[in-house]
Amino acid sequence: MIREQAQSIDLSVPAHQAAEPTAWIEQLQNQLLELEYALIPEGLHVMGQAPTREQRLGTLKVMADAMGLTAAQNATLMEALVDGASEAQLSAQFSTELNASDKAQAETLRQLVRSNRLLGEDHEMQGLMRALDGRYLQPAPGGDLIRNANVLPTGRNLHGLDPFRMPSAFAVRDGMRQADKLLARYQQDHQALPETVAMVLWGTDNLKTEGSPMAQALALMGAAPRFDSYGRLAGAQLIPLAELGRPRIDVVITLSGIFRDLLPMQIRLLAEAAFLAANADEPVEQNFVRQHALAYLAEHEGSTMECAALRVFGNTEGAYGANVNHLIDSSCWENENELGDAFTQRKGFAYGREGRPVRNTSVLQSALASVSLTYQNLDSVELGVTSIDTYFDTLGGISRAVLQAKHQRDGNAAEAPPVFIGDQTQGDGVVRSLTEQVALETRSRMLNPKWHESMLQHGYEGVRQIEAHLTNTMGWSATTGQVQPWVYQQLAQTFVLDPAMRERMAQLNPTASAKVANRLLEATRRQYWQPDAETMSALLRAGEELEDRLEGIQEGLPA
Ligand code: BEZ
Ligand code: MG
């Protein structure tokens, strides 16, 4: 019965019924808990509008959890907190739950009381008006409230980083742990280490974490930053193999335009790390960077080690993005290969130790052909991989480019690389496959009334957000082929085939509603899901009805 129920709601079920299903049942329980614990943003942020009491309660609970306050499990305590109790009142009222002599706990309580007060006030409209008047704004840290309560009050002037101190000592250590997690996850599925990881680096997630993603790239290569006697970033150094305890993994890094603009010293750091690894006098089976660089030199007469060791790629100066998102949005493409080509065209500029971009398709193609997996971090619950079109533009784009580079080298038998997400939004972080990540986001957000009802509260824009999530989901299908068909079936049922929901959405935003239906039809045409005949004809009818409405034709109304 458990098996049947899990199957009926598209949870993953083993193909064969084991005699002893305990392991699977445990897995299922973990899957359900992951869904239950997923954090869900409620609607969009509205400037000048403070969160409701319930929203404040939800946020403060997550903050208290992240701060390690176990007493936060106590519902009455959290209610008292949001209702404005002071630290002294809380300590007195909850003396059994709280430990009066625990200094760290007292500080946590102080932070939570302060956060509750600041969350209830509006500082943003004021801040915006001051900025527009060209007046002074207090500087403040930016980033995720769950990671850092000092982000409050918002409405101040965000400052991001000290470029001489990134990656920080903490990020270097965290980078090693997250890199180990990624390697362990890959080994669990493939019984071997990956030779090459294609990693996407953005600017914002590095700013919010003092450089954890870039430190992960260094850790994979077995490298670390080097600082001068003033503590300023001076370059890269290699961690000795004996200390590293595993081979150096090759890493092809693609940068966002924002990373390129904000972090020029870190670009040179990464390029130097790859160069040092390629030149290290080490056995090639212990150093995949060197192994691949030597192979490139052997195949390309007249090339140099400087060139063969190029591993940092991005747009040229002044250009942003891979344009894969624009192709998907406009539907102006025939074959998935156009998407991979757009990516390599845009991101084919190599950044060497000098930090200046030079187009180098040859090294990029060669490095991409050796990629075992593609990978990007997710840094904040505010955005998932289906919330904005830039995740599939960068990580999806490179995944498709890898498949095409493999086709070119090995012929059509070459397989798509597995795609992984390092979810750093809660706790110690967890590595998920893209398939798992899209399933989790679809269940906890798109299909979840708590999420889509909050979106629909925004009216016109809420419907557009729902349409954008669907389009982004199709962007993942187009670039990776790793979205399960049930995702489309359930989205179709929830937003198009349910007459009441369809009517509501069409009232709020007829254009985006028609786009939702058309995108689902496009997904069938492109073979990302194959609905049964009944679903298909209902979808076609609904799509026509929505189009008619756009053109001003409504059934039952006089012409
Ligand atoms: C970045 O921080 O690099 C970035 C942010 C949003 C979209 C794309 C890139
Ligand atoms: Mg259109």
Side-chain angles (χ1 to χ4, degrees), residues 201-205 255-259 262 383 388 390-391 394:
L201 292 184
W202 281 9
T204 43
D205 48 2
L255 306 174
S256 73
I258 296 178
F259 189 112
L262 293 178
L383 297 177
I388 48 176
T390 27
Y391 279 111
T394 54

Side-chain angles (χ1 to χ4, degrees), residues 358-388:
V358 179
R359 185 181 284 287
N360 195 325
T361 315
S362 163
V363 180
L364 178 61
Q365 287 300 330
S366 160
L368 290 182
S370 76
V371 165
S372 323
L373 70 96
T374 63
Y375 176 64
Q376 183 168 1
N377 287 276
L378 197 63
D379 66 90
S380 156
V381 290
E382 284 169 35
L383 297 177
V385 301
T386 51
S387 312
I388 48 176

